[in-house]
């Protein structure tokens, strides 16, 4: 008799109702999460940009929060600039803006309109390598190659800025670029070689 009371139709309906209620919670929680997300996180503000990259004009629709590095790698398939630290500390993403070195991971794409941007892909003249690229090959200025695009872009700027008077000066003006392989001697020799030309 006790067993029949425990497993009655009424208890079955109660337990079934509770289980059905629990199954409904995930969808209501998800809807609540979406509402909170839309309230707290602003929607993407997409703007139309026309950028001159490697002497080519590109018209793009991008989120106003997009950095040049993400734009190069994700929308233009220019993967030479590397995402090392994404905090402006390693120099792997170095590019030139109007001939001056800049960290593309810290530069918003919207800030670069009307400026000439050069990435490692635009440094060579067709199939003819830039003298700094040749020097890096000849002086073994790279090992794994991950930091090499940023090193070369900084090295070109270092020569153009006239900071090649001594090894110490070169090291000072290249200090924003890190090489985990420790190819610094080859990098300095490459810069000296190009500066002497």
């Amino acid at each position: 008799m006790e067993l029949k009371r425990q497993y009655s139709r009424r208890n079955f309906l109660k337990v079934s109702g509770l289980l059905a209620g629990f199954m409904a919670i995930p969808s209501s929680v998800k809807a609540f999460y979406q509402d909170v997300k839309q309230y707290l996180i602003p929607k993407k503000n997409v703007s139309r940009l026309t950028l001159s990259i490697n002497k080519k004009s590109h018209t793009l629709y991008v989120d106003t929060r997009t950095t040049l590095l993400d734009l190069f790698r994700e929308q233009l398939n220019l993967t030479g600039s590397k995402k090392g630290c994404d905090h402006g500390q390693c120099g792997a993403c170095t590019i030139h803006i109007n001939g001056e070195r800049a960290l593309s991971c810290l530069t918003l794409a919207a800030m670069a309109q009307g400026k000439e941007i050069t990435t490692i892909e635009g440094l060579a003249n067709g199939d003819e390598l830039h003298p700094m690229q040749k020097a890096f090959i000849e002086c073994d200025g790279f090992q794994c190659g991950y930091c090499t695009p940023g090193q070369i872009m900084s090295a070109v700027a270092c020569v153009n800025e006239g900071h090649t008077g001594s090894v110490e000066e070169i090291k000072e003006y290249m200090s924003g670029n890190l090489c985990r392989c420790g190819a610094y001697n080859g990098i300095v020799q490459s810069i000296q070689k190009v500066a002497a030309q």
Side-chain angles (χ1 to χ4, degrees):
M1 192 69 151
E2 189 68 33
L3 189 62
K4 284 186 181 178
R5 248 187 250 146
Q6 194 177 4
Y7 294 107
S8 68
R9 183 175 172 197
R10 185 170 291 163
N11 284 342
F12 174 76
L13 291 174
K14 285 180 184 177
V15 171
S16 298
L18 283 171
L19 289 174
F22 282 126
M23 290 176 59
I25 287 175
S27 61
S28 64
V29 170
K30 186 176 180 183
F32 176 72
Y33 168 76
Q34 292 298 333
D35 291 343
V36 170
K37 182 179 171 186
Q38 288 176 359
Y39 180 74
L40 294 177
I41 301 172
K43 290 184 179 179
K44 286 183 180 181
N45 187 5
V46 178
S47 64
R48 183 176 185 262
L49 297 178
T50 301
L51 300 174
S52 177
I53 303 168
N54 299 330
K55 298 179 182 162
K56 291 181 185 173
S57 182
H58 299 270
T59 300
L60 307 150
Y61 291 91
V62 296
D63 184 344
T64 53
R65 300 169 290 187
T66 301
T67 63
L68 280 174
L69 179 61
D70 289 335
L71 180 79
F72 298 150
R73 297 183 64 80
E74 295 171 14
Q75 290 187 255
L76 297 174
N77 202 28
L78 296 172
T79 57
S81 299
K82 302 298 187 230
K83 187 177 270 201
C85 66
D86 209 21
H87 295 291
Q89 297 174 354
C90 71
C93 67
T94 304
I95 58 166
H96 293 168
I97 298 177
N98 290 341
E100 295 181 8
R101 60 181 126 184
L103 298 171
S104 59
C105 74
L106 297 181
T107 307
L108 293 175
M111 295 169 55
Q113 265 196 132
K115 299 176 182 175
E116 183 57 43
I117 302 163
T118 306
T119 67
I120 190 70
E121 291 90 349
L123 204 56
N125 185 9
D127 290 336
E128 180 68 21
L129 291 178
H130 186 278
M132 191 63 74
Q133 290 172 310
K134 289 179 185 175
F136 263 68
I137 292 168
E138 292 163 7
C139 298
D140 196 24
F142 58 91
Q143 286 183 28
C144 79
Y146 191 84
C147 73
T148 304
Q151 295 277 7
I152 290 174
M153 297 303 284
S154 280
V156 170
C158 187
V159 171
N160 291 344
E161 294 163 2
H163 298 299
T164 57
S166 66
V167 170
E168 289 73 25
E169 187 179 19
I170 291 170
K171 286 181 178 180
E172 175 65 28
Y173 283 89
M174 290 295 292
S175 63
N177 291 75
L178 303 178
C179 173
R180 290 183 67 130
C181 300
Y184 294 115
N185 292 334
I187 293 166
V188 170
Q189 289 170 11
S190 303
I191 294 169
Q192 289 175 317
K193 183 170 187 171
V194 173
Q197 292 176 354

